[in-house]
Amino acid sequence: MEAIKFDFNNMMSDFIGEQGIKASELDNPVSKAAFDYFQANRGTEMMGWADLPYNQDGVVEDIIATAKEINKNFENFVVLGIGGSALGPIAVFTALCHFRYNDLPKEKRGLKFFVEDNVDPERMLALLDVIDVEKTCFNVITKSGATSETMSQYLIITDILKKKLGDKFSKNIVATTSETKGNLIKLAKKEGFKTFYIPDGVGGRFSELCPVGLLPAAVLGIDIKAMLEGAKFMDKLCSLDDAHKNPALMAALLSYISMKKGKNISVMMPYADSLKYIADWYCQLWGESLGKAVDKNGKVVNAGQTPVKALGVTDQHSQVQLYTEGPFDKVITIIGVEKFRGDVTIANGAEEFPDVNFLCGHTMSELINTERVATEYALTCSKHMNNTILLPEVNAHTIGQLLMFFQLQTAYCGEMLNIDTFNQPGVEAGKNATYALFNRKGYEAKKQELENAPKKNKAYII
Ligand code: PA5
């Protein structure tokens, strides 16, 4: 199996001068310390995700068998979830399924696939316009079993199902949740839903390689064993404490140093439409994991690097002007694909127009990859930090590698920053305010706090 490559030349001062990192700066003890901490603690507490490629043989067989049954009995598969319970399934679906999957004729695809990662009423109504709920399997995914958005989706859907199917409605639902915590597990037991468990040490944004991501992927016919093999392959590639021999550790160290140099923005820019939502998934992983007010000692650090998603070449005509000439506050990570799964030759037809004719006879994959290399060159000439992750091709194995690479990079980098990578107190604050505003029992004090907040008086009335 071919490994993905991480090319960080354009992060270095040899290539971008004083904006870059000197080779000597890579001899930083934080790197080995972060690795040692990770190795000593992997598999424990909130680092259970690191062992997912190794400890799911039984559950994988159950997932594959369940996916077969779902394919036999339904026409649509809908994920109800949000954040870490939605972004991974979307990213993997987009990476590994046909680009117009749901529009393909029935015989060329499996079940139609939807992920409802919001509580926009128009979106819910639109979903209900295009599916027959009786012929739909709903996979409710929530680790906490309490997330308002997901539980609202669940309540709306079960109400419709119950009205149509009576007691049989439970056959249309699969729950993916914590085995011990939250309300969804209680409902699942009461109603008799088929249930998969999210292990305790696996947080939402690190959960794509557990049943959260594996069941939707298996339903879509994706080779989930190959995905896990890819993750294992990357884990093995990252098993040494020397950043020069561990790509994710090197990526983390470069990120850490770049943050110290004031690069507060991390742009993730795949040059492949299939990887567009990998950038979304990455943004949550990077933003929610590293964006922290205090470090492990309680010191205020306001750590983090704002993740931004971009798409090559589309954003060459939108964002790249800023990336090449704007402030030196960013690191641009480009994801390239060496071999696309299909290709199209640019036809002849403009012989008399040399300015167009130069394109003829080349393929679209040549064009997108040439533009990628050209953008890397432009960023480097303008002395902006950039690095490239190159996938030999997009398949289940390389996607497994890529997910594990980013998870390891994030965990190492969080440790270098001495923060808790796996909590999300800032998200909880918003959740609690919502509960208070919805008059949830137990949140009376929070409601009072919100009522006492300064009144807004600075809006224009138009
Ligand atoms: O990464 C996280 O933990 C969060 O983004 C969660 O995935 C998100 O808030 C949804 O939580 P839950 O799975 O408990 O519904």
Side-chain angles (χ1 to χ4, degrees):
M1 279 297 165
E2 251 194 291
I4 64 174
K5 297 184 191 95
F6 174 52
D7 174 349
F8 60 95
N9 285 291
N10 299 338
M11 298 290 287
M12 307 301 293
S13 56
D14 295 349
F15 287 80
I16 57 169
E18 64 181 30
Q19 288 297 330
I21 296 169
K22 294 192 195 76
S24 59
E25 290 178 83
L26 299 178
D27 298 327
N28 190 320
V30 291
S31 165
K32 182 170 164 13
F35 177 84
D36 289 345
Y37 177 86
F38 176 77
Q39 283 304 98
N41 293 286
R42 60 175 297 154
T44 67
E45 297 192 351
M46 289 312 288
M47 286 206 263
W49 55 270
D51 287 350
L52 291 174
Y54 303 95
N55 63 8
Q56 293 190 99
D57 288 355
V59 81
V60 163
E61 293 311 325
D62 190 5
I63 285 172
I64 291 172
T66 305
K68 257 191 208 147
E69 278 305 302
I70 291 171
N71 269 283
K72 243 191 270 164
N73 297 329
F74 297 100
E75 288 184 359
N76 312 296
F77 187 81
V78 176
V79 172
L80 305 178
I82 199 158
S85 298
L87 292 165
I90 295 170
V92 167
F93 165 61
T94 318
L96 297 176
C97 291
H98 189 283
F99 195 71
R100 309 272 180 214
Y101 175 87
N102 279 351
D103 298 330
L104 286 171
K106 225 174 181 172
E107 59 284 5
K108 290 195 172 167
R109 58 164 171 83
L111 306 189
K112 282 198 177 181
F113 184 76
F114 305 89
V115 183
E116 293 304 290
D117 64 336
N118 206 347
V119 283
D120 180 329
E122 293 180 15
R123 180 180 181 142
M124 178 58 82
L125 290 168
L127 176 75
L128 295 172
D129 278 343
V130 298
I131 60 165
D132 176 347
V133 288
E134 292 177 54
K135 294 178 182 160
T136 303
C137 177
F138 294 91
N139 184 196
V140 195
I141 308 179
T142 165
K143 165 115 189 242
S144 62
T147 302
S148 304
E149 295 86 346
T150 308
M151 294 317 286
S152 304
Q153 295 167 349
Y154 164 83
L155 289 167
I156 292 162
I157 292 297
T158 46
D159 181 57
I160 299 171
L161 281 173
K162 278 179 189 170
K163 283 180 184 146
K164 289 192 182 263
L165 296 170
D167 289 347
K168 290 200 198 108
F169 88 98
S170 62
K171 301 264 170 294
N172 290 50
I173 296 190
V174 178
T176 305
T177 190
S178 162
E179 190 172 2
T180 50
K181 290 177 217 138
N183 297 317
L184 185 59
I185 186 62
K186 291 179 198 144
L187 287 163
K189 283 188 180 149
K190 179 173 155 241
E191 306 287 8
F193 301 148
K194 169 73 187 167
T195 304
F196 288 98
Y197 299 123
I198 306 175
D200 281 347
V202 178
R205 55 194 177 271
F206 287 84
S207 68
E208 177 52 24
L209 296 172
C210 83
V212 167
L214 296 181
L215 179 64
V219 167
L220 288 161
I222 290 166
D223 184 349
I224 59 172
K225 289 186 182 172
M227 232 164 84
L228 289 167
E229 277 304 316
K232 193 188 287 183
F233 183 83
M234 179 52 64
D235 189 44
K236 302 274 181 221
L237 278 181
C238 298
S239 58
L240 297 174
D241 64 7
D242 176 354
H244 293 279
K245 295 180 182 149
N246 177 335
L249 190 59
M250 177 58 84
L253 179 58
L254 293 164
S255 301
Y256 171 78
I257 298 172
S258 68
M259 284 183 231
K260 298 282 167 205
K261 289 179 182 291
K263 316 293 181 200
N264 295 322
I265 298 171
S266 165
V267 178
M268 184 57 64
M269 188 170 186
Y271 270 70
D273 277 287
S274 63
L275 302 179
K276 180 173 176 178
Y277 292 98
I278 292 280
D280 261 38
W281 171 85
Y282 163 83
C283 284
Q284 187 210 13
L285 181 71
W286 198 245
E288 208 166 283
S289 299
L290 303 187
K292 298 290 150 70
V294 292
D295 71 8
K296 285 186 186 173
N297 306 320
K299 188 175 151 214
V300 175
V301 287
N302 296 115
Q305 197 179 38
T306 304
V308 172
K309 50 199 176 192
L311 180 67
V313 304
T314 306
D315 281 307
Q316 283 181 207
H317 299 270
S318 164
Q319 299 297 315
V320 167
Q321 169 62 30
L322 171 72
Y323 299 163
T324 49
E325 294 197 356
F328 290 93
D329 56 358
K330 304 171 195 65
V331 177
I332 295 102
T333 298
I334 285 170
I335 311 181
V337 175
E338 278 174 331
K339 189 171 177 296
F340 282 75
R341 288 164 287 191
D343 216 341
V344 180
T345 301
I346 302 164
N348 291 319
E351 287 77 1
E352 66 277 33
F353 304 109
D355 293 353
V356 178
N357 195 43
F358 75 97
L359 294 165
C360 302
H362 290 287
T363 62
M364 289 182 87
S365 75
E366 276 181 84
L367 183 58
I368 195 168
N369 275 334
T370 304
E371 293 202 43
R372 169 175 60 75
V373 172
T375 300
E376 289 163 8
Y377 177 72
L379 289 166
T380 306
C381 288
S382 69
K383 317 273 184 231
H384 284 80
M385 277 189 182
N386 67 97
N387 56 79
T388 298
I389 298 168
L390 208 53
L391 272 61
E393 63 175 32
V394 178
N395 58 41
H397 196 274
T398 55
I399 290 299
Q401 289 185 50
L402 192 63
L403 298 180
M404 196 63 171
F405 174 85
F406 285 134
Q407 291 180 162
L408 289 168
Q409 178 192 10
T410 305
Y412 294 146
C413 195
E415 197 44 41
M416 290 174 194
L417 292 164
N418 191 34
I419 52 153
D420 184 342
T421 311
F422 305 104
N423 67 0
Q424 51 280 324
V427 179
E428 302 305 329
K431 281 188 189 177
N432 291 340
T434 304
Y435 298 152
L437 292 167
F438 256 48
N439 296 317
R440 182 172 157 184
K441 200 161 173 281
Y443 291 81
E444 295 77 9
K446 177 62 76 183
K447 175 109 195 244
Q448 197 55 56
E449 185 189 308
L450 284 158
E451 279 169 4
N452 293 343
K455 299 280 167 277
K456 290 184 173 173
N457 61 0
K458 298 279 186 305
Y460 287 105
I461 310 290
I462 300 168

